[in-house]
């Protein structure tokens, strides 16, 4: 489709082929990943309105890494349409660009300008690249296996046994907060660990991929957080969705910018999974960003009034803590099985905080297999691993 786009001098024809390519790619993604989600919701709406609707669900295995393949394919077509990259004449180079195996599972999402030219170079064995690549892979395995997988044991246990814990008064808000914070680090070490493995394995072969994470937990705002978190996805949606929505048509206004920002982040949530929990996750981050933009001047005035403007280090630390808490709150919906579970967890966050000053509870009940699903030693080792990671990343 790209040669057809580039070969047309007529703007309408070029746009027609672009729309045709976008529809084909997004149609494949919709059928495999989102059809059943939308079909189920349409069926629920039809039942509520007493309409007849009988379209059956389809059972299809989701191809590995489909979302990344589709976004990378779209990036190529759009860049060709915009005249920023010429159509690739070698089909095998294009196929390798779409299916490059190091980034198969979790990205990063590459642009054709960055990756395709590398396929045309002669890559010889380079001892330094191999060493650096293996070190990067080892770092990724440390994040994934030592931190993420061990934190997952605790998080899965608390979420899976939430109702039992609550009914038996064995869990309180402190346990839920620990699980929520642990999950934030779990998904970071999952995603960034996979990215490190991808970048490392590509480097061993002589290829350089785009950095995908840059210490997001030192961010001072949610906007900065998304400039550091899953960078290739954030940049992809910024360039191909947010900018066209906000700047493409008509007069630019704050309302238009905020609406475009909110829509973009709702779609970021939906991209992560076909479930209303992911939609709410994206909507929360969209709300954070809109609210942050709308209140920026007010917050600056408040900082001056309370004296924080004269204490930049303290202000910085408070901002970092607030961003982590806000991101962790949104992650409740990312992790929850459904909206009801997410709501129940939020409702019970305030339960049982009197136990925080109960020495016997903290020593004999909180850090146990029965409460957190992990022994005290395993928990301590994982927390130390997180501290080591943060120190090394500086």
């Amino acid at each position: 489709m790209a040669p057809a786009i580039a070969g047309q001098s007529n703007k309408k024809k070029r746009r027609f082929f672009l729309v045709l390519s976008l529809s084909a790619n997004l149609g494949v993604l919709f059928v495999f990943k989102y059809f059943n989600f939308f079909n189920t919701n349409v069926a629920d709406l039809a039942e509520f309105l007493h309409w007849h609707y009988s379209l059956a669900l389809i059972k299809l295995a989701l191809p590995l890494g489909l979302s990344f393949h589709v976004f990378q394919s779209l990036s190529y077509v759009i860049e060709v349409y915009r005249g920023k990259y010429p159509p690739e004449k070698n089909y095998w180079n294009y196929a390798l660009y779409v299916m490059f195996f190091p980034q198969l599972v979790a990205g990063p999402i590459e642009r054709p300008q960055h990756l395709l030219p590398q396929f045309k170079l002669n890559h010889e064995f380079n001892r330094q690249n191999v060493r650096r690549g293996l070190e990067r892979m080892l770092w990724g395995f440390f994040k994934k296996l030592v931190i993420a997988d061990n934190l997952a044991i605790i998080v899965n246990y608390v979420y899976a046994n939430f109702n039992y814990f609550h009914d038996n008064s064995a869990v309180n808000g402190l346990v839920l907060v620990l699980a929520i914070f642990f999950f934030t680090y779990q998904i970071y070490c999952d995603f960034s660990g996979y990215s490190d493995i991808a970048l490392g394995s590509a480097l061993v072969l002589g290829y350089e991929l785009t950095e995908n994470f840059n210490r997001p937990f030192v961010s001072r705002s949610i906007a900065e957080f998304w400039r550091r978190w899953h960078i290739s996805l954030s940049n992809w949606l910024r360039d191909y969705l947010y900018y066209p929505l906000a700047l493409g048509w008509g007069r630019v206004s704050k309302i238009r910018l905020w609406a475009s920002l909110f829509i973009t982040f709702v779609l970021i949530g939906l991209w992560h999974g076909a479930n209303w929990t992911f939609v709410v996750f994206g909507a929360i981050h969209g709300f954070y960003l809109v609210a942050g933009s709308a209140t920026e001047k007010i917050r600056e005035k408040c900082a001056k009034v309370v004296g924080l403007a004269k204490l930049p280090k303290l202000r910085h630390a408070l901002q970092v803590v607030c961003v982590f808490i806000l991101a962790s709150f949104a992650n409740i919906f990312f992790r929850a099985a459904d909206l009801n579970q997410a709501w129940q967890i939020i409702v019970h966050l305030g339960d049982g905080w009197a136990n925080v000053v109960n020495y016997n509870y903290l020593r004999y009940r909180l850090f146990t297999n029965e409460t957190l699903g992990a022994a005290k030693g395993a928990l301590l080792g994982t927390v130390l691993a997180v501290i080591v990671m943060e120190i090394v990343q500086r």
Side-chain angles (χ1 to χ4, degrees), residues 22-282:
L22 296 180
S23 300
N25 279 283
L26 292 174
V28 170
L29 182 63
F30 176 81
V31 169
F32 278 94
K33 190 171 181 179
Y34 298 106
F35 175 80
N36 285 342
F37 171 68
F38 280 96
N39 190 36
T40 300
N41 283 280
V42 171
D44 292 341
L45 178 62
E47 182 180 356
F48 176 77
L49 297 174
H50 303 290
W51 293 347
H52 175 70
Y53 183 84
S54 58
L55 189 60
L57 299 178
I58 56 177
K59 294 182 179 180
L60 293 173
L62 181 65
L64 187 64
L66 179 63
S67 298
F68 291 96
H69 301 328
V70 169
F71 272 36
Q72 198 142 302
S73 299
L74 293 177
S75 179
Y76 168 76
V77 172
I78 294 171
E79 293 298 286
V80 170
Y81 173 79
R82 292 178 173 177
K84 294 183 177 180
Y85 193 81
E88 177 57 49
K89 296 179 180 179
N90 187 320
Y91 171 78
W92 298 110
N93 282 345
Y94 170 75
L96 184 58
Y97 163 75
V98 175
M99 299 290 290
F100 191 47
F101 80 89
Q103 53 175 151
L104 191 65
V105 176
I109 304 168
E110 291 290 346
R111 305 293 175 93
Q113 299 96 317
H114 184 246
L115 188 56
L116 270 169
Q118 297 186 55
F119 295 148
K120 302 174 184 179
L121 302 176
N122 182 29
H123 295 273
E124 297 180 353
F125 178 82
N126 185 304
R127 189 183 300 274
Q128 184 178 5
N129 281 347
V130 172
R131 179 183 60 80
R132 287 171 53 216
L134 291 176
E135 287 175 351
R136 189 66 180 267
M137 290 176 68
L138 184 62
W139 182 238
F141 283 122
F142 172 78
K143 287 182 179 179
K144 176 68 179 74
L145 300 177
V146 177
I147 300 178
D149 286 359
N150 281 300
L151 289 177
I153 294 172
I154 299 169
V155 174
N156 293 343
Y157 185 81
V158 173
Y159 272 78
N161 295 282
F162 170 74
N163 290 330
Y164 168 79
F165 285 154
H166 183 258
D167 293 341
N168 291 273
S169 301
V171 73
N172 56 30
L174 175 60
V175 174
L176 295 178
V177 167
L178 287 175
I180 292 165
F181 288 167
F182 286 167
F183 179 67
T184 296
Y185 266 102
Q186 178 198 333
I187 59 170
Y188 168 68
C189 292
D190 256 328
F191 289 173
S192 68
Y194 276 126
S195 291
D196 287 332
I197 295 168
L199 269 70
S201 57
L203 188 58
V204 168
L205 300 174
Y207 299 93
E208 292 188 3
L209 300 181
T210 304
E211 289 290 341
N212 216 17
F213 290 85
N214 181 22
R215 300 191 65 221
F217 299 138
V218 299
S219 302
R220 299 171 61 179
S221 68
I222 293 296
E224 182 184 354
F225 176 85
W226 279 100
R227 290 194 294 270
R228 294 171 174 270
W229 179 280
H230 215 321
I231 300 167
S232 63
L233 174 64
S234 301
N235 291 347
W236 195 102
L237 287 162
R238 178 199 64 195
D239 294 344
Y240 300 140
L241 181 61
Y242 172 67
Y243 284 161
L245 283 175
L247 309 174
W249 302 277
R251 185 175 63 87
V252 177
S253 66
K254 283 188 176 181
I255 298 299
R256 187 183 186 88
L257 292 175
W258 292 340
S260 301
L261 192 61
F262 186 79
I263 291 170
T264 298
F265 273 85
V266 168
L267 292 176
I268 281 181
L270 189 59
W271 181 85
H272 281 91
N275 195 312
W276 282 110
T277 54
F278 294 110
V279 175
V280 174
F281 161 80

